[in-house]
Structures are given as C-alpha cells and as structure tokens.
Amino acid sequence: MKGVVVKSTGSWYLVRDGEGKLHRARLRGKFKLKGMKVSNPLAVGDRVEFDVETTGEDTAVIHKIEDRENYIIRKSTHKAEHAHIIAANLDQALLIATLVSPRTSFGFIDRFLVTAEAYGIPTVIVYNKTDLYDEDMQEYQRQIAYLYERIGYKVLGVSAHANEGIDTLKELLHGKTTLFSGHSGVGKSTLINLIVPDLDLKTSEISDFSDKGVHTTTFAEMFEIDPETFIIDTPGIKELGIVDIPKQELGHFFPEMRERLNQCRFNNCSHFNEPGCAVVDAVRKNEIALTRYESYLSMLQGEDNRK
C-alpha cells in the first residue's frame, strides 16, 4: 500500500493511505539515507510504501520511502553533526514572524529563506500580531515588507487575535501542501485554529518571563483542510542551523546576490573583502539591504544563529 506520513512521534508514524484511512506504522529495520546524517529518516510529508500487519493490532510496517521532491532541514538540536528534516514534499512554506512578543530577528528569517531557496521551496513571510502595532511599528512593518518584496518574497500582515488577513491566508493555502514554521509563540497554532476551527489545536500563552513562546506543538503534523489542501504544523524553532550549503555557494541562495554573481571580478569571490565585488558595491549603494548582507556574513562565518 502507498501513503503519506501525516505525523511522526519518533519511533511510530501515522500514515494516511489513498482512501484517507490512517495507519499506525513503524519502520522496518534501520533506514540509512544516502549521504545524509539525519536524526529522523522519516518526516511528515514523506510518501511511503507499507504493509498492514496481520497481528490484529491494526499496525503497519513501512518498507520503502519514495524519493523526495524537496524538504526543509535544520541542524539537529539533539545529535551533534546530524540534521533534522522538518517536513518533505512541500508546495510552499509560510514563515510566521512577529515584530513583538516575541520578536523574530532578520537573521532567523534569512536563514529560513536560504534553506528554502536551497531546496526550491517558495516561501511567504507572514507577520502575525499586527493588532499590537502602533503607528511607528506599522511604518516599520511596511519597510520590512518592501525589503523582502523587492527581492521576490511575498509578505503578509495578519492578526489572529483580531481575525484580520485570515481569508487572504486561506486563499494562499488552497490546493497546496504548506509548511507553517517559525519561533514558538508567534501564533502558528492559533492561525491554524482560525483556518480550520474544528482542529482546535492546543495553544498557550506567551511566557512573560522570557518573552519566548512555550512549545505547544510537540511533533510535526499534517492536517487536511480539504482533499487538495494540506497544512503541516511544526514545533516552534528556537534556532535554525544551516545544513549542507558550502560557503562558496551561499550567495546563490540570496536572490539579490545571485543576480550579481557574474559581475564580481573574481569567480570565487566570497563577497567579504575581495576587490571588485559587485555584492559589496551593491550594499554600499543600498541596492542590497544591509540586514540581508549581515545575515549572509553571519552564515558565512558560522556564527550563532539565534540572533
């Protein structure tokens, strides 16, 4: 039988077959993914082949993982030198961000965008909690939107609390498999509750102590909105380490740098301190945003990624 992994709890998986029936399944033996050191061989969104066991317990065994079209990956927080696949076979990703409670940094946004670019996943940046903005913050939000829209990313402002922008969000999701990602506390689960009210996802208040979100989604899970539309809710991410992107290729995943790469004096230009660098020149002319260039340098130098 063939199906799609809709939930992963570590050793057991929930697989939906072609008729929509759910099966509790486990992997047969140890799966090694060629050339990849990952903490999870299977991810939500993976297409698999499985057999239902005849033990009478209504369980199944997964014996094949089909090739992935794409995936979102991060450094594992539990295993050194390993990566963790967040989700696979996506049509798009929504990065839920906030200007306040908690604030999402440019560094985090840019790391997510680079990872998505590397695996060919279109991404929309969704700023939630716009109901908390004063006039200055509204203007700042417009500046951020311009910064990203001029390099090809769609930016939306929504408010789960005030139910603003939710219809636009629904239109964006229709007919696609979409990953919802972001820091804890940015309101992913609250937004999903509004989009699909009968799911009633567990949501939690922001911790006043640290102004960081409290993890409410423990495992990634795929939900069906209608037969053609699926969303994947993921645990809140504190940090997003870049995986398997060679330093000399990093600039390829910044659209505004990519279009200038053949204009540098040297083919192997790292866009740091080489003479005749078209990227550095564009930063000086404000054609490339300084925040984006700082994010690039931070990734290039392997600095702490929580900033």
Side-chain angles (χ1 to χ4, degrees), residues 150-151 256 259-260 278 281-289:
R150 73 173 185 168
I151 55 174
E256 67 273 47
E259 64 186 30
R260 293 175 166 89
D281 187 49
V283 174
R284 289 196 183 112
K285 293 176 180 175
N286 290 323
E287 293 169 3
I288 290 178

Side-chain angles (χ1 to χ4, degrees), residues 114 242 245-255 257-258 261 271 295-301:
V114 163
I242 297 295
I245 298 177
K247 289 185 176 183
Q248 64 271 25
E249 293 179 17
L250 183 60
H252 291 268
F253 307 115
F254 284 76
M257 293 187 189
R258 186 166 59 225
L261 294 183
H271 322 300
S295 290
Y296 169 79
L297 292 181
S298 173
M299 293 180 223
L300 189 72
Q301 294 158 10

Side-chain angles (χ1 to χ4, degrees), residues 27 62 152 176 234 278:
L27 274 174
I62 297 164
K176 295 178 179 176
T234 57

